[in-house]
Amino acid sequence: MKPKRFALTPGEPAGIGPDLCLLLAAHAQPHPLIAITSRDLLLERAAQLGVVVDLLPVAPDSWPDVPAPANSLYVWDTPLNARVTAGQLDKANAAFVLETLTRAGQGCLDGHFAGMITAPVHKGVINESGIAFSGHTEFLADLTHTAQVVMMLATRGLRVALVTTHLPLREIADAITPERLERVTRILHADLQEKFGIARPRILVCGLNPHAGEGGHLGHEEIDIIEPTLERLRGEGMDLRGPLPADTLFTPKYLEHCDAVLAMYHDQGLPVLKYKGFGAAVNVTLGLPIIRTSVDHGTALDLAGSGKIDTGSLQVALETAYQMAETRL
């Protein structure tokens, strides 16, 4: 099977993203993996970590077709705006972070990369630089002109997608409209088919309120919005079960018979998934015309340059992107 090229963005340069890339390079990947970042940054961090890595320069006119050997890494050099000190944020490099994402995303759109894998960014420092930024998901949606995307995290034996993502609790109920719920469910169903090769996805849907509303005694969103929307989609042949109480849905009785869970909000579904698989989970953006996966953790500024990190989540993100690219219809 012919190898496919993938892009890797190390995220916040002062965080552990560059460390992860360097440690990952110790083992050969099955596909050409191209780190889009500053070569100088990697050289400095490698010296700090005591890691010996051969950084192989590549560019749009010299894409590799074979994987890099062990202890080496393809690098598409992207200049920093300011020198980096591990663990110390600098808003001067916010534009650099976004440039790496733009290069990776546009490279996927142009067919140079089969997918992109992202290490964590620091939203706060990007916003402090004067650039409005709410996250990878929204940035890539804008870049690819995608109207609606869906965040899904996955680990062994569990996938959890979200109807709403980074919203204050006070705003969540108003954000769950029939239109939004239908769009998210359709995207989840379609990408489970197209990008994960599941012919007939089985999806469990959480209620919004405790006990899924307790028949209207604890809220009416299930009666007025969630159940009617699911019923319409069931009429099209989708295998949807719910709305179910979130406190009992995440049990083997239900999970062993599903391909994904659709949670209404961020902290309803993700604490369960991260408890089950933190360090071995992956963040997948559904609905994009490209493949994008990410680690399940943050920038860990306090660990940058220490060598005391685990590449497990990044390896899972890579493997998931590879599998999605092979499965994609």
Side-chain angles (χ1 to χ4, degrees):
M1 188 174 296
K2 183 179 179 180
K4 303 172 184 285
R5 282 187 300 272
F6 291 83
L8 172 63
T9 58
E12 168 54 47
I16 63 170
D19 308 48
L20 289 170
C21 295
L22 292 166
L23 295 178
L24 187 79
H27 305 285
Q29 294 292 318
H31 298 276
L33 181 65
I34 298 169
I36 303 177
T37 188
S38 162
R39 187 172 187 274
D40 289 341
L41 169 65
L42 293 181
L43 286 172
E44 289 188 9
R45 194 65 59 86
Q48 188 171 354
L49 293 170
V51 173
V52 178
V53 178
D54 188 12
L55 302 181
L56 308 174
V58 299
D61 60 352
S62 61
W63 295 129
D65 291 321
V66 296
N71 299 310
S72 63
L73 181 66
Y74 290 125
V75 180
W76 183 5
D77 189 32
T78 307
L80 289 161
N81 295 84
R83 188 170 179 178
V84 172
T85 299
Q88 297 182 21
L89 295 172
D90 187 341
K91 62 185 180 182
N93 280 319
F96 157 80
V97 173
L98 299 186
E99 175 62 17
T100 66
L101 295 178
T102 300
R103 287 186 173 191
Q106 191 61 50
C108 290
L109 290 173
D110 293 342
H112 300 309
F113 309 127
M116 60 183 289
I117 300 93
T118 60
V121 296
H122 194 286
K123 300 181 184 70
V125 76
I126 295 175
N127 283 282
E128 288 171 11
S129 76
I131 303 171
F133 181 83
S134 55
H136 278 110
T137 302
E138 296 80 3
F139 181 86
L140 292 173
D142 289 342
L143 180 68
T144 61
H145 306 291
T146 303
Q148 177 75 53
V149 293
V150 174
M151 178 187 290
M152 184 179 79
L153 268 73
T155 190
R156 186 180 299 276
L158 180 62
R159 301 183 183 97
V160 177
L162 304 176
V163 177
T164 63
T165 52
H166 302 122
L167 288 179
L169 282 174
R170 289 184 182 276
E171 299 177 16
I172 289 171
D174 290 339
I176 298 173
T177 62
E179 295 78 16
R180 185 183 193 129
L181 178 57
E182 180 174 334
R183 287 197 304 269
V184 169
T185 306
R186 288 188 184 281
I187 290 169
L188 173 60
H189 186 270
D191 271 16
L192 287 173
Q193 290 181 317
E194 178 186 350
K195 294 176 181 174
F196 289 86
I198 302 170
R200 183 170 167 74
R202 301 165 298 174
I203 301 171
L204 299 181
V205 182
C206 296
L208 171 65
N209 298 294
H211 300 182
E214 194 75 69
H217 295 287
L218 296 175
H220 286 264
E221 286 81 5
E222 288 78 12
I223 295 171
D224 296 340
I225 297 172
I226 301 175
E227 177 55 38
T229 301
L230 299 184
E231 190 59 29
R232 285 199 308 275
L233 296 174
R234 288 188 196 105
E236 299 179 12
M238 293 189 193
D239 188 348
L240 308 171
R241 186 170 182 183
L244 295 167
D247 64 344
T248 54
L249 179 155
F250 289 101
T251 58
K253 171 185 174 182
Y254 292 106
L255 294 180
E256 65 186 10
H257 299 296
C258 86
D259 296 300
V261 172
L262 182 58
M264 292 296 121
Y265 58 96
H266 187 281
D267 281 14
Q268 182 183 58
L270 298 194
V272 180
L273 184 133
K274 291 195 176 185
Y275 176 76
K276 178 178 174 61
F278 191 75
V282 57
N283 186 336
V284 183
T285 304
L286 304 179
L288 294 173
I290 65 176
I291 289 171
R292 180 258 171 167
T293 66
S294 183
V295 295
D296 69 345
H297 56 73
T299 54
L301 294 168
D302 58 321
L303 296 177
S306 71
K308 300 175 182 178
I309 60 171
D310 186 347
T311 61
S313 182
L314 180 58
Q315 187 60 51
V316 174
L318 287 165
E319 292 170 359
T320 301
Y322 299 159
Q323 292 165 4
M324 291 172 68
E326 294 299 335
T327 302
R328 193 171 189 179
L329 299 177

